[in-house]
Amino acid sequence: MRRIMAVLYKEFLQIRRDRMTLGLIFMLPLVQLLLFGFAIQTEVKHISTVVFDQSLSADSRDLLESFSASGYFDVTMAVNSYDEVTRMIDSGKAKVGIVFPPDFSENVRRGTSAAVQVFVDASDSMVSNQAIAVANFIGMIKSQEILTSKLRVGAAPYDIRVRPWYNPDGVTAYYMVPAICGILVTLSMVMLTSMGIVRERERGTLEQLMVTPIKPYELMLGKTLPYIVLGYIQITVALLVGVLVFHVPIKGSILELYILTLFFITASLGLGILVSNIAKTQMQAMQLAYFIFLPSILLSGFMFPRDGMPKLIYYIGNLIPLTYYLDIIRGIVLKGIGFSYLIGQVISLLVFSVVFLTISTLKFKKKIA
Amino acid sequence: MEDIIVTHDLTRSFGKFVAVSKLNLNIRCGEIYGFLGPNGAGKSTAIRMLCGILQPTSGTAQVLGYDLLNETEKIKRKIGYMSQKFSLYDDLSVEENLEFYAGVYEVPLKESKSRVAEMIEMANLTGREKEVVANLSGGWKQRLALGCAIISRPSLVFLDEPTSGVSPTSRRMFFNIIQGLANNGVTVMVTTHFMDEAERCNRIAFISGGRLMATDTPDNLKKNIIRGYLVELAVPDALEQVGRIEALPYVSECNIHGPLLHVLLEHESNAADLRTVTGVEPKMITPSLEDVFVTLAKS
Ligand SMILES: Nc1ncnc2c1ncn2[C@@H]1O[C@H](COP(=O)(O)OP(=O)(O)OP(=O)(O)O)[C@@H](O)[C@H]1O
Ligand SMILES: [Mg+2]
């Protein structure tokens, strides 16, 4: 116990004095979230939109109003020909073009379907998908409104609305912020623990420690426990940014989130120690950390939904702790679900932690070469 | 006197290369045992094996009465080790380094403070307790490293080239500390490249190419290793003359010492001939440890 405490205290002193560590813990979540979050938000909302209204009627203005009100389309430009619409989109001045035919209003009134053309610049798939989805959605809702008013009944016979659950506005920040928290924690934990041990090896202090009576598990505990605290600090900073800046609502229990986060932090720490067993220099440790980091981003469901992945890739994704943590953090923050739905994920992370930490402790010999 | 370290054919190879070959040593309780040899001789390798951090390829040893191969952790409780590069935490202060090792060696909390103070006093670190190690100069770091190594009051201390790269005054101060430890009954095994330090050891082992070449007291080594008649020769162009003199039939060795040559003759009577060949009067000298060192390293 005395020995673990000695290592713990020493680590705390060193962390407190190390600017890089503190920077990683506080600045990384701030900078990453702000960059990432704003980048996503501004791209998808406020899509510059050009309009060619040949109908110039109350009906066309009404529909246009709905487009603007959605917040996704900034209808700021009006032109007088197809050519001009095409030119605006080609030159990138507009990402979406809306064209009302001259007989738009008549068609609406007559009850024959009134066509509106919406052109989308599909070179940016993220934007175009969003634009198409929202345009369709607006079209549907408006049609229903018109239908119900025509039939002069109180409500439409069927009120079918596609509602994106958990994230009704399709705000990507909601979806991304919790996931970024997870990414940041793995990256920092793997990097800090592996570098922490490799640094001692490089400086020769590890050799000095090997001559002392300290036991491998005592050294591991003393060197990793402080990072659990750092992991929590980091995730707190990240969540605060999410809530205060991006107004991400936390639907579930924060306490539960914090408790389950422990398993993810320990799994990441275990991975870090494992890396330190392999890496000989701090440089190698850093590279290995990135080597782990990349598949974490690509295969965990952070970027791409896992359902659409080929079987093999899907199974590889199962071997990544982040995969499970994304379920946990998105589940609790966005869906408000609790522990009972996440038992499988928690057990998986627990298994990762135990396996990683046991292998590293067994592999760590108090011998050089 | 009883032996604190006994090794039996202790050997370590790295791949095909044999760094330490069949080392047989007896180190007595309470002595300062010097470990000498050229770079790459295998001194550090031998010490690391004796500390239990390097697995011997073959052979064994008893350290403090424990078996080196099976009771490594028991040995580690009772020894102190200072590695060739001072392994301190640069970002911690003098005091914090000492406190850390006090903790790792499980010095009771109550005693820890006084033990740290004792080390600071012993190692002449007074006044710099709060200083971060990175700001200390070589001599201070070296004494702090010693303090960290002996904070558990071990009865056996291994010091691997503790005095490389520090000033002569620091070296002298350091060796006084070592002598103080020995006076209190601590056995010290120390490697060094300095002859004045070697002179202060009770006994010396000389190793070269992984092999033990000789082990004895400094005086005995000087008496027994050099067989023949050693003279000093003040020739003006020493460097050019070495080859010619060495080729003489009665010269067993010729080495450069500063501006002078040390020539080992087979017999006293050869001195006269040497004078006629070189035109310089040879002066009889008693061999120094350095002469012993050079002779052993050549053989
Ligand atoms: N881990 C290792 N792997 C391979 N070779 C090694 C290893 N450690 C030491 N050696 C080799 O063993 C030989 C003896 O090294 P050692 O460090 O014991 O020498 P030394 O006597 O301490 O030298 P110095 O006076 O320079 O400190 C050297 O040739 C060295 O290159
Ligand atoms: Mg050495």
Side-chain angles (χ1 to χ4, degrees):
Chain A
M1 205 50 205
R2 172 103 168 87
R3 290 195 288 248
I4 300 176
M5 290 310 291
V7 180
L8 254 176
Y9 182 62
K10 183 214 89 183
E11 287 297 317
F12 265 116
L13 287 177
Q14 289 189 304
I15 290 168
R16 217 181 56 200
R17 280 168 209 175
D18 182 22
R19 268 157 212 250
M20 197 197 95
T21 305
L22 293 181
L24 212 59
I25 294 302
F26 289 102
M27 293 315 286
L28 196 67
L30 274 176
V31 173
Q32 290 291 332
L33 274 174
L34 291 180
L35 277 180
F36 217 94
F38 278 127
I40 292 169
Q41 256 195 340
T42 49
E43 271 297 296
V44 177
K45 283 210 162 186
H46 307 291
I47 304 169
S48 49
T49 305
V50 60
V51 80
F52 173 32
D53 187 353
Q54 302 171 72
S55 138
L56 292 171
S57 60
D59 292 306
S60 65
R61 264 199 307 280
D62 182 41
L63 186 55
L64 214 49
E65 194 65 27
S66 303
F67 271 87
S68 304
S70 74
Y72 288 96
F73 302 95
D74 277 359
V75 187
T76 46
M77 294 165 284
V79 294
N80 294 315
S81 71
Y82 268 108
D83 277 354
E84 280 177 276
V85 173
T86 318
R87 226 176 303 128
M88 290 294 241
I89 293 181
D90 283 348
S91 66
K93 287 203 183 106
K95 288 244 184 315
V96 172
I98 302 175
V99 178
F100 293 95
D103 53 355
F104 177 75
S105 193
E106 285 90 83
N107 284 341
V108 170
R109 265 150 230 285
R110 239 186 290 135
T112 54
S113 105
V116 184
Q117 279 177 299
V118 179
F119 301 94
V120 176
D121 171 6
S123 55
D124 183 340
S125 64
M126 190 103 145
V127 177
S128 62
N129 285 341
Q130 197 86 8
I132 292 168
V134 176
N136 275 329
F137 193 56
I138 292 171
M140 230 162 57
I141 291 183
K142 287 309 278 186
S143 319
Q144 276 180 348
E145 269 177 30
I146 292 168
L147 271 176
T148 39
S149 70
K150 276 243 162 88
L151 291 169
R152 292 180 217 292
V153 287
Y158 301 109
D159 184 7
I160 303 166
R161 293 188 191 187
V162 181
R163 265 200 318 138
W165 268 20
Y166 311 129
N167 188 0
D169 299 336
V171 177
T172 336
Y174 286 5
Y175 200 61
M176 290 313 253
V177 166
I180 295 175
C181 294
I183 290 270
L184 293 178
V185 169
T186 354
L187 181 64
S188 328
M189 292 301 109
V190 171
M191 216 143 90
L192 288 177
T193 40
S194 59
M195 302 250 290
I197 294 174
V198 173
R199 190 180 319 140
E200 291 224 18
R201 186 172 294 143
E202 274 186 335
R203 289 192 190 162
T205 47
L206 199 62
E207 179 174 338
Q208 195 69 46
L209 281 175
M210 287 174 182
V211 182
T212 72
I214 198 160
K215 298 195 171 66
Y217 83 88
E218 294 170 332
L219 185 62
M220 294 296 152
L221 276 179
K223 280 200 80 82
T224 48
L225 288 176
Y227 291 101
I228 294 185
V229 177
L230 287 191
Y232 272 119
I233 293 177
Q234 192 177 43
I235 208 145
T236 307
V237 173
L239 284 174
L240 277 176
V241 174
V243 171
L244 297 179
V245 180
F246 298 108
H247 311 291
V248 175
I250 298 184
K251 295 241 176 72
S253 141
I254 295 236
L255 181 68
E256 221 159 340
L257 177 63
Y258 271 61
I259 293 172
L260 300 194
T261 295
L262 179 66
F263 299 99
F264 180 57
I265 294 181
T266 49
S268 303
L269 290 176
L271 207 53
I273 302 181
L274 214 53
V275 166
S276 72
N277 268 315
I278 302 164
K280 291 277 170 291
T281 63
Q282 291 189 65
M283 195 64 199
Q284 286 179 5
M286 192 104 102
Q287 284 166 346
L288 268 170
Y290 273 109
F291 185 71
I292 292 171
F293 183 58
L294 213 60
S296 287
I297 286 191
L298 297 177
L299 307 183
S300 63
F302 171 77
M303 289 277 243
F304 315 109
R306 276 177 21 98
D307 296 329
M309 290 178 184
K311 271 268 176 312
L312 179 67
I313 304 287
Y314 184 87
Y315 288 131
I316 296 177
N318 281 344
L319 299 174
I320 297 172
L322 183 65
T323 306
Y324 302 95
Y325 188 61
L326 287 186
D327 288 345
I328 291 177
I329 193 165
R330 279 179 174 158
I332 293 179
V333 171
L334 300 177
K335 304 186 198 172
I337 60 177
F339 177 67
S340 48
Y341 290 93
L342 297 166
I343 290 180
Q345 281 80 351
V346 172
I347 291 176
S348 305
L349 288 180
L350 196 61
V351 170
F352 278 123
S353 310
V354 171
V355 169
F356 290 159
L357 289 170
T358 312
I359 294 180
S360 333
T361 309
L362 290 181
K363 264 202 79 180
F364 182 84
K365 291 272 161 20
K366 284 174 73 182
K367 300 257 188 233
I368 47 175
Chain B
M1 253 199 285
E2 153 195 12
D3 287 340
I4 197 164
I5 296 178
V6 185
T7 70
H8 310 282
D9 288 342
L10 202 59
T11 303
R12 169 74 206 208
S13 14
F14 298 103
K16 279 203 181 114
F17 177 76
V18 186
V20 172
S21 168
K22 299 202 169 181
L23 192 63
N24 287 296
L25 291 177
N26 296 288
I27 299 178
R28 293 173 199 147
C29 232
E31 70 178 342
I32 300 178
Y33 195 84
F35 223 37
L36 271 70
N39 292 121
K43 305 179 294 291
S44 301
T45 306
I47 286 191
R48 283 171 167 161
M49 282 195 281
L50 291 173
C51 289
I53 54 171
L54 191 66
Q55 189 73 31
T57 309
S58 65
T60 181
Q62 269 80 48
V63 177
L64 292 150
Y66 297 115
D67 180 56
L68 178 63
L69 303 181
N70 300 313
E71 296 175 300
T72 324
E73 291 306 305
K74 284 186 185 151
I75 296 172
K76 285 179 182 172
R77 284 173 194 282
K78 298 195 173 170
I79 60 169
Y81 168 65
M82 195 175 147
S83 73
Q84 195 160 351
K85 44 178 187 176
F86 315 140
S87 316
L88 298 161
Y89 294 100
D90 266 359
D91 41 357
L92 299 187
S93 72
V94 169
E95 237 172 24
E96 287 160 350
N97 267 285
L98 288 166
E99 279 162 4
F100 171 65
Y101 282 105
V104 169
Y105 279 104
E106 293 185 296
V107 174
L109 264 180
K110 276 179 285 177
E111 222 181 294
S112 177
K113 239 194 164 66
S114 64
R115 192 74 71 86
V116 168
E118 180 189 320
M119 289 302 127
I120 285 174
E121 159 100 32
M122 180 266 339
N124 283 314
L125 294 165
T126 320
R128 309 282 291 263
E129 294 90 338
K130 306 272 183 232
E131 188 96 51
V132 171
V133 169
N135 298 340
L136 295 179
S137 61
W140 289 77
K141 280 188 190 168
Q142 162 218 43
R143 296 201 299 279
L144 174 60
L146 177 68
C148 292
I150 63 173
I151 196 154
S152 61
R153 294 199 180 131
S155 44
L156 171 61
V157 186
F158 296 94
L159 308 173
D160 194 357
E161 270 182 58
T163 52
S164 57
V166 302
S167 74
T169 29
S170 284
R171 287 208 293 120
R172 202 154 308 139
M173 188 193 279
F174 189 84
F175 225 87
N176 289 343
I177 300 173
I178 295 181
Q179 207 122 43
L181 285 176
N183 291 344
N184 289 324
V186 178
T187 310
V188 181
M189 181 171 189
V190 57
T191 71
T192 179
H193 289 296
F194 295 104
M195 292 310 130
D196 57 330
E197 290 178 356
E199 294 273 6
R200 291 176 71 173
C201 296
N202 298 100
R203 288 198 305 146
I204 294 172
F206 187 89
I207 68 169
S208 177
R211 246 180 275 275
L212 179 66
M213 309 301 285
T215 175
D216 212 329
T217 62
D219 284 343
N220 284 346
L221 284 176
K222 282 183 262 184
K223 254 185 266 161
N224 301 333
I225 297 298
I226 301 215
R227 304 193 167 274
Y229 187 75
L230 190 67
V231 294
E232 186 180 272
L233 208 59
V235 285
D237 45 353
L239 213 52
E240 286 92 73
Q241 297 270 18
V242 176
R244 194 165 71 94
I245 295 173
E246 204 158 33
L248 295 170
Y250 48 81
V251 170
S252 34
E253 241 178 83
C254 177
N255 297 305
I256 299 171
H257 281 239
L260 307 170
L261 287 179
H262 283 194
V263 186
L264 185 60
L265 305 171
E266 275 169 6
H267 198 265
E268 191 177 344
S269 57
N270 304 128
D273 188 60
L274 186 64
R275 179 181 46 228
T276 37
V277 172
T278 59
V280 181
E281 177 73 41
K283 205 171 99 205
M284 203 274 269
I285 51 168
T286 48
S288 68
L289 259 188
E290 189 157 349
D291 294 312
V292 175
F293 185 102
V294 174
T295 305
L296 283 173
K298 276 195 171 175
S299 60

